[in-house]
Amino acid sequence: MEKSTQTIAALLQEERTFPPPKAFQQQAWVNDPKIYEQAAKNPEAFWAKAAEELDWFKRWEKVLEWNPPWAKWFIGGKLNASYNCIDRHLKTWRRNKAAIIWEGEPGDERVLTYQDLHREVSKFANVLKKLGVKKGDRVAIYMPMIPELPIALLACARIGAVHSVVFGGFSAEALRDRINDAQAKLLITADGGWRRGQVVPLKKNADEALKQTPSIQNTVVVRRVGDPSVTLGQNQYWWHELMRDAPLECPPEPMDSEDMLFILYTSGTTGKPKGVVHTTGGYLVGVTLTHKWIFDIKDEDVFFCTADIGWVTGHSYIVYGPLANGTTVVMFEGVPDYPDKDRFWAIVEKYRATILYTAPTAIRTFMRWGEEYPKRHDLSSLRLLGSVGEPINPEAWIWYYKVIGGERCPIVDTWWQTETGHILITPLPGISTLKPASANKPFPGIEAKVVDEAGNPISPGAGAGYLVITKPWPGMLRTLYNDPERYKQAYWSKFPGVYLTGDGCKIDKDGDFWLLGRIDDVLNVSGHRISTMEVESALVDHQAVAEAAVIGKSHDVKGQAVSAFVTLRAGYKPSSELADELKKHVAKKIGAIARPDDIFFTAELPKTRSGKIMRRLLRDIAEGRALGDTTTLADPTVIAQLKSQYESSES
Ligand code: WT7
């Protein structure tokens, strides 16, 4: 460990760069850097050309209508996402190409060709219709990573229903709130999912949520784990029974380009999750082109994206982008360390994956486990690697490059968000000179800047500021579901007419972007967005808690860990049992991903005179740094006491 840290420090001093390998460049879709200038000259023409690669039932009349902050793309155009992901390939040799190669956690396998996918999606679309789901209705999906999950998404898209996927690791309460916000009519779930040999009780959680979700009329349950204790209640049906006599044909609904395709909830700076709304035409154009160019997708590729479809990465780069491009994707139900710590590498070897797209938190975990696990397998099929979810530190980048990529594969460090729909800042592997930990440049047709507090651009090499996107892009969120005011407020109010990402960033002299993490009250734990407010609300919900302040504490593997400062109500005493109970309480309210790593009990929290908790000072304490500016503190003695208590509890 010691040695490699020294190597990295040296590398940073050298500012090592990695130009594209000649052979890669020659065969790449994009191998002429002029594309950046061309696209910048006329972004609308650039995106219109990309839109030509999709199949439209009716061509658009106008590329873009921009009344900030309201965007419409490909106005008047009609298309269907499921048609573009499936039907159009049936007219070609791809009909019998593997669309999804799926591996379950226990090692079971299923391969669905595009023809198979067409059959399953059409049948399930008919099931949805039979259950009364109509165009525009919302369908909540709470499922493990099994083929029925993408089938459900595409079936919704086929009939014009709006899917709202809730990650299977979320709690019953989180599911309930998302169902109610979207007013979903139908819930699709499973009897359970596998996680490290144990059953995740999805149906049990769903039933708990369903006690308080009056909008749900019916529930469809996939039998995944075969748990005999799972039974059906009223208006609940087994997937396989409904599918048995579902008709094979279901014509795709011609959707307006601006019709809603899905809602996906993500954390913001308040306790209430934001329902990010994506529409059909622009989103599909954005994910299809970015997937093709950034991952340099060819028909021979086997694309392995390790994300869960419960997150936007899975929506855009397991389902819509890859399938629209007619790609073979590998989908995996399990975790990287079950049954052993070589599972991903076993999968790469077994299916000869050519492209791997994963997260920095996973890469740092693999580093800790050691090289012996990847070394057990032949990874020579890989030709390109991707990273997403948080900044990748140089040490992890170099490890990924050497140990997984064999110093042969370019790495695309892709920056984007649930809101952006598709990748916005990234290398293009055939032309970009890579720098470990830089996400390189805005994708062609995307205009991004780094600005100071007043909104003035910071010149390259001059320092860090707010990352903003200064022109609309096709896959951008259109609004927050049922909350247009919050959409304006959260993204467009700090710098009018400009999209605020919430991330800090610097641009170096070559114009390369270096992402610096969130600057708002949002944590990034293992690439997942969690709002400090959500965790605080969950803590305060417990009878023992008077007040709570949550911060992100640097963590070697997760990037950030949830750390909570808690004051107790009268009559309650700090204890490690209570701390454990509070951790469990948060996991129950939100899900295991939000469980605090540590809870620190304190008599007071540092506050401003207006009563705002100064999380910045708590972060300083937790990171063991000198305290920043304390002049606005109402009671300066609080913080000194807290600091000394915290430090003695750490040692
Ligand atoms: C936030 C968005 C986009 C899919 C996964 C996360 C961080 C994402 C990178 C990257 C540095 C990154 C940002 C962003 N992030 N990719 N390559 N380098 N930071 O989606 O949950 O909407 O989170 O993830 O902070 O704002 P999300």
Side-chain angles (χ1 to χ4, degrees), residues 313 357-365 386-394 396-397 412-417 437-439 503 514-518 523-529 553-561:
T313 307
Y357 191 30
T358 194
T361 184
I363 299 164
R364 289 190 296 265
T365 305
S387 166
V388 63
E390 55 178 315
I392 178 167
N393 43 307
W397 195 102
V412 287
D413 175 0
T414 62
W415 179 92
W416 57 299
Q417 305 177 301
S438 165
D503 279 16
W514 300 73
L515 276 304
L516 303 171
R518 306 286 306 180
L523 309 182
N524 189 326
V525 178
S526 302
H528 300 313
R529 265 162 80 176
K553 190 172 164 180
S554 311
H555 188 281
D556 284 351
V557 173
K558 301 191 226 180
Q560 284 189 306

